[in-house]
Amino acid sequence: MNSNKRSTAVDAIRGLSLLGILMANMLIFQYGMFGKDELHLFQPSTLDLISHDMLKVFVEGSFMPIFTFLFGYSMIKMRESLIGKGLKYGRSFFRRSVLLIILGWLHSTFIWEGDILLFYGAIGLFLLLFVKRKAKTILIWGILFLTLFAIFGYGSMEPGTGETERMENYVKQSIEIYGSGTYGEILHFRSTEEMPLGLPDWMLLLVILIAPLMSAPMFLFGMVAAKRGRFLHPSNEIKLYLRWSLLVPVGLGLKTAGVMLGSTDNWSGVFAMIGGPLLALGYIHLFASLYAFSSKQSVIIRAFEAVGRMSLTNYLTQSVVCVLIFYGFGLGMFGKLGVLQGALLAILIYAVLATGSLLWLKRFHGGPIERLLRIGTYWSWSGRAKPKAMTPAAAIPTAEFPAEGPPAT
């Protein structure tokens, strides 16, 4: 693959991450942002509890970081493209971040509470501090952030006095509102009901400010990969992929230990903070190695690529479909389906969206929401950055929605 062509491997990895994100988000669609960790209030079966733990180990907290990684990756590729065309990248980055913040606010306010677009738009501005740095410098910062937040994870997560009661009351209200409420009632509940965390305002503000930085390591690792030209020539990097794939058992082991110890153990948070990103890195390279060995004519590979190219459109479509299935103004299946059944439903929804993406891309170059984002980012009706002068061809951004996706796990 020439350097001026789109990385189809990155598209496929992004498409795979959307499947894992949907499976993780299905817990929020089914049980709510806080209810997903309070399954005892939904009278779960043994199968539900086992499936919940399996999702925590294999999926939750390890597919969103893949999106995060690819967001950082695409920022570097987008900068290279704009510089190659003689354009200033700062303005385009700023416009894209603002657009994502606006889109995220609309999504979280009027569709679904688990939005991540607003978060990606905001942290995109923070990442501008790193785009010009050397790969080694960015890597050091990423390792420092990962170590720092792993240390913050130490300590028991046992609820304090009164917190358990507040949480149960909130979840019980959400079961009634989300399961049978109208669209207006659900919006009112989300906008007016006090969060059950019981934190003082200053601490809640501190959490909001720090939380985005907890994902910083994966953003930075993605930027390092882009600066080093990874994933552009998969067939030449198979040995590298296989070595990094060894992080899969390491990440699974750490996350399993965290789940088995339980939230009341001091070390469970540390294992989760380290295990999630390490497993994500392992998944990225394991899938990249499978991609390198696979036939590019494989319908499964092409489906992953198609979903990855239309990741923003697919992410928003997933939200619309799922709220119509689970919320009261739709089918009202909130809290009724079951954890394993929800995971299987996620796979079915993904298969339908992948098929639709393949058919759409036979006629169009990209997804409709991606096109709107490009128009706003480049301030051009064509959706393309116009070079100021004849310059050597530069790399086209791998995506306009590398991880501005999602969700909130």
Side-chain angles (χ1 to χ4, degrees):
M1 184 184 300
N2 297 328
S3 61
N4 66 332
K5 290 188 177 180
R6 185 184 185 97
S7 175
T8 54
V10 171
D11 286 332
I13 296 170
R14 184 177 295 107
L16 172 70
S17 70
L18 263 180
L19 173 58
I21 288 169
L22 178 57
M23 293 178 69
N25 284 346
M26 193 60 72
L27 292 173
I28 304 176
F29 286 121
Q30 289 193 84
Y31 305 108
M33 185 68 72
F34 298 99
K36 71 182 182 67
D37 293 317
E38 304 292 334
L39 282 189
H40 62 279
L41 299 175
F42 295 85
Q43 300 180 338
S45 65
T46 301
L47 179 61
D48 286 329
L49 296 176
I50 294 174
S51 301
H52 189 245
D53 285 344
M54 295 293 285
L55 284 175
K56 280 188 172 182
V57 173
F58 287 92
V59 178
E60 219 177 11
S62 291
F63 277 88
M64 182 55 68
I66 297 177
F67 242 44
T68 304
F69 178 96
L70 297 176
F71 187 94
Y73 186 98
S74 74
M75 283 191 70
I76 298 301
K77 291 303 177 185
M78 180 177 173
R79 176 177 179 269
E80 292 174 357
S81 173
L82 292 170
I83 290 177
K85 295 175 180 178
L87 301 172
K88 295 180 179 180
Y89 62 88
R91 295 176 182 176
S92 296
F93 280 164
F94 179 78
R95 285 194 292 265
R96 184 174 73 155
S97 293
V98 171
L99 288 171
L100 288 174
I101 290 172
I102 294 173
L103 187 57
W105 178 80
L106 293 172
H107 180 224
S108 63
T109 302
F110 298 105
I111 300 179
W112 183 53
E113 61 185 333
D115 170 77
I116 59 162
L117 299 181
L118 194 154
F119 158 64
Y120 276 95
I123 202 167
L125 299 174
F126 167 75
L127 294 175
L128 286 174
L129 298 173
F130 296 93
V131 292
K132 295 193 294 184
R133 302 291 181 262
K134 294 181 180 179
K136 184 177 180 180
T137 302
I138 299 174
L139 178 62
I140 292 173
W141 274 104
I143 294 173
L144 287 175
F145 276 126
L146 182 61
T147 304
L148 177 63
F149 289 115
I151 294 173
F152 284 167
Y154 182 81
S156 173
M157 297 296 290
E158 188 173 4
T161 305
E163 185 177 335
T164 299
E165 184 178 353
R166 283 195 302 271
M167 183 65 73
E168 289 190 357
N169 289 335
Y170 181 90
V171 174
K172 288 177 181 178
Q173 288 183 66
S174 70
I175 294 173
E176 178 67 24
I177 295 296
Y178 285 122
S180 59
T182 64
Y183 179 76
E185 290 172 339
I186 292 175
L187 287 186
H188 183 265
F189 176 79
R190 287 213 309 253
S191 61
T192 61
E193 191 65 26
E194 184 178 353
M195 293 292 101
L197 299 176
L199 298 175
D201 292 342
W202 68 268
M203 187 175 292
L204 184 60
L205 177 61
L206 183 62
V207 170
I208 293 173
L209 293 175
I210 292 179
L213 296 179
M214 296 177 68
S215 300
M218 291 302 291
F219 285 111
L220 298 177
F221 294 154
M223 296 171 82
V224 172
K227 284 181 174 285
R228 293 180 174 176
R230 300 289 187 244
F231 307 113
L232 296 178
H233 308 274
S235 60
N236 297 334
E237 297 182 331
I238 293 177
K239 291 183 178 179
L240 175 70
Y241 298 158
L242 292 176
R243 286 198 299 269
W244 281 92
S245 296
L246 295 177
L247 288 176
V248 170
V250 175
L252 288 175
L254 289 170
K255 293 184 71 178
T256 300
V259 170
M260 293 181 67
L261 289 172
S263 61
T264 58
D265 188 271
N266 290 333
W267 286 95
S268 62
V270 177
F271 292 151
M273 289 296 298
I274 298 177
L278 292 184
L279 182 57
L281 290 171
Y283 279 157
I284 289 169
H285 290 88
L286 176 61
F287 185 75
S289 63
L290 296 175
Y291 181 89
F293 282 114
S294 67
S295 167
K296 303 305 180 289
Q297 301 303 315
S298 167
V299 66
I300 295 178
I301 292 297
R302 290 192 294 111
F304 281 132
E305 291 174 358
V307 173
R309 287 179 61 183
M310 297 177 56
S311 50
L312 177 54
T313 298
N314 280 302
Y315 169 68
L316 294 175
T317 303
Q318 288 174 3
S319 294
V320 173
V321 170
C322 288
V323 298
L324 288 176
I325 292 174
F326 294 106
Y327 287 5
F329 54 83
L331 298 180
M333 295 296 294
F334 190 84
K336 300 177 181 178
L337 190 59
V339 177
L340 178 60
Q341 294 89 331
L344 295 175
L345 176 62
I347 295 173
L348 176 61
I349 292 172
Y350 183 90
V352 173
L353 293 178
T355 302
S357 298
L358 283 169
L359 295 174
W360 179 275
L361 291 176
K362 285 184 177 181
R363 296 193 58 186
F364 304 99
H365 178 70
I369 307 299
E370 286 77 8
R371 175 62 185 273
L372 293 175
L373 186 62
R374 289 177 65 92
I375 290 173
T377 297
Y378 300 122
W379 211 243
S380 166
W381 284 113
S382 67
R384 298 181 180 181
K386 297 179 180 179
K388 287 186 176 180
M390 295 298 293
T391 58
I396 296 175
T398 51
E400 295 308 321
F401 178 56
E404 10 287 8
T409 53

